[in-house]
Amino acid sequence: VNAMVVATDRPGADAEATVSAAPAQLGGSLRVDAVVLDQFWNLASLEPRKREAAATVLVERLQHFQVEFTQTLSEKHARGTSHGGKTKGARIPSPVVLIELEGNGLAHDVRYAAKRLVRGLGSAREGARQGFALALTALMATKTGDDGEAAFAFPGLSAEYILGLVNTELLVVGSMKGQEQRDFYIGQVFACGALVRSGRLTTHFCEKGLNDAMVASKKNAGFVPATELAGTRGEVVKLLLRITQKKTLLAQSCVEVLISLCTQLSSPELHELLLRRPDADTLEQHQTSSTRQERMNEMHPFGQWLCVNREKATAEHLQVALSLAPRLPAKLISECHVLPHSLVLQGGHVDMKQFMGSNESLVGPYLSNQYLRALAGILKASTQSHPRLHAVWALLLRQQELQINEDGEATQGQAEQEGGTTAHVSLTE
């Protein structure tokens, strides 16, 4: 019999447990495996190898419990019992029904671990955030079976389920001290990053043409209908945008997660994330709205954020716009004030020859005098509060023959690029 302990579930107890010799329960608390609990100590280690080893053991242990739980649950329902009641003539329900009836289809140890991992992302203790984020990502991403028939090992750990834990375990309230609020906001960013890296925000299926049995099979494997997942993606994006407004220190980290998510999406999915009406993304349809405000109202909050007036734009707006520009819908490009006005729109689509150079390197409009001078205020402000050079500079200078002189002036390395001469923008003016 495995050594078991009674899990403490109070806030801040991310590395505590009360040892108990009770054979089944104590005070109504369900037991949690001691091996599972031991891993939380090493997840907070400053040594990456210890964190990785602990995450591996934790996932393997929880996967074992999940398999046992699913088998036991299926047998219980096959006998016609559910929550202590009997149903005559009961048949083995589909796994989806099991998920709906029994705590999202997750074993107790898995539910406990997921909740504690999310809560631990708000801890400032040693390497807790790194280790807990690693383990949470691994739990969500782990799959079983062959590539052709792969299924998530923990189907119930959906993006919606984890986002629900974030909204409860990392909820920021006004009564918190400033340091605690900051820790929880950082934890929210880590949680969103884990969701993106796990692939849970992009793993979906289309219900069209599938019968009930096929839909149930997909859901049992952890896949989510495309329409449902689109809503969850939107909520994650809105959470990240709220954090950028609350904590400017975390703004760059938030947009890095946003960009990472967007690069995983197909063009239709990205357009849907940006626009309320993803089908109306041609220039002709866009012009049906007479005023800018009307056109903005047709967009998702993400699209509205990206199309902010240049006077209010930050380096984060510029970073997202430059990173996603080749894939943005024409409807949004024409309203995005931080992109070059010289981008050519033909029939509602971007002229890629004008927009991008060979090997997808930024050319022409991005290094013109007119464009760089228009962005001077944004670029200067990017280092006004934080001494570290903002990532947006790398986007502007990527694959360009530019050098930064010792006096802080950006100059062109060799030949002038297409679209005009390169502006000499001082970083110290």
Side-chain angles (χ1 to χ4, degrees), residues 280-298:
D281 62 352
T282 66
L283 190 60
E284 292 80 7
Q285 289 171 311
H286 174 52
Q287 291 174 338
T288 58
S289 299
S290 58
T291 68
R292 172 175 167 81
Q293 187 58 49
E294 290 176 349
R295 295 191 294 268
M296 293 284 285
N297 289 339
E298 294 178 355

Side-chain angles (χ1 to χ4, degrees), residues 152-404:
F152 284 106
F154 307 97
L157 289 181
S158 63
E160 183 181 9
Y161 181 83
I162 296 299
L163 188 59
L165 291 179
V166 172
N167 292 333
T168 55
E169 300 302 316
L170 296 175
L171 178 64
V172 177
V173 294
S175 59
M176 290 180 173
K177 296 181 179 179
Q179 179 65 36
E180 189 177 6
Q181 288 187 11
R182 190 198 71 169
D183 288 340
F184 272 38
Y185 280 126
I186 295 175
Q188 292 174 7
V189 177
F190 269 80
C192 292
L195 281 169
V196 171
R197 291 191 175 189
S198 70
R200 288 282 186 159
L201 290 173
T202 54
T203 306
H204 57 77
F205 69 95
C206 180
E207 294 180 281
K208 185 177 181 180
L210 301 181
N211 57 36
D212 292 343
M214 296 171 68
V215 170
S217 177
K218 289 288 186 181
K219 289 184 176 180
N220 180 53
F223 301 104
V224 180
T227 53
E228 294 181 17
L229 193 58
T232 305
R233 276 198 299 262
E235 291 302 315
V236 171
V237 169
K238 286 191 285 188
L239 174 59
L240 289 168
L241 294 180
R242 284 198 298 270
I243 299 173
T244 63
Q245 296 172 353
K246 293 287 186 180
K247 294 292 180 182
T248 57
L249 186 65
L250 300 176
Q252 188 174 344
S253 298
C254 288
V255 300
E256 292 284 357
V257 177
L258 274 174
I259 293 170
S260 180
L261 169 61
C262 292
T263 55
Q264 296 178 20
L265 303 177
S266 65
S267 292
E269 290 170 342
L270 177 59
H271 291 190
E272 183 176 2
L273 187 62
L274 292 162
L275 307 174
R276 294 188 186 278
R277 293 165 48 205
D279 56 323
D281 62 352
T282 66
L283 190 60
E284 292 80 7
Q285 289 171 311
H286 174 52
Q287 291 174 338
T288 58
S289 299
S290 58
T291 68
R292 172 175 167 81
Q293 187 58 49
E294 290 176 349
R295 295 191 294 268
M296 293 284 285
N297 289 339
E298 294 178 355
M299 298 181 184
H300 184 275
F302 185 22
Q304 295 175 4
W305 176 86
L306 194 56
C307 293
V308 67
N309 292 330
R310 185 177 293 173
E311 294 75 17
K312 298 181 180 180
T314 65
E316 285 72 41
H317 292 92
L318 182 57
Q319 182 180 357
V320 175
L322 292 177
S323 299
L324 304 181
R327 303 181 61 207
L328 293 178
K331 177 178 181 177
L332 191 140
I333 288 179
S334 60
E335 299 291 344
C336 187
H337 290 181
V338 295
L339 288 175
H341 290 300
S342 56
L343 293 183
V344 179
L345 297 176
Q346 295 183 347
H349 299 282
V350 179
D351 183 347
M352 297 306 292
K353 292 182 180 180
Q354 169 72 15
F355 190 80
M356 303 295 288
S358 59
N359 300 322
E360 297 188 352
S361 60
L362 300 176
V363 298
Y366 291 100
L367 290 180
S368 67
N369 272 296
Q370 181 182 7
Y371 183 54
L372 289 183
R373 291 188 186 284
L375 298 183
I378 298 176
L379 296 174
K380 290 178 183 179
S382 68
T383 56
Q384 185 174 20
S385 302
H386 313 299
R388 186 164 62 91
L389 195 64
H390 198 283
V392 72
W393 286 95
L395 287 174
L396 284 171
L397 308 180
R398 185 180 58 189
Q399 295 186 5
Q400 302 297 325
E401 295 179 320
L402 297 176
Q403 297 177 340
I404 304 300

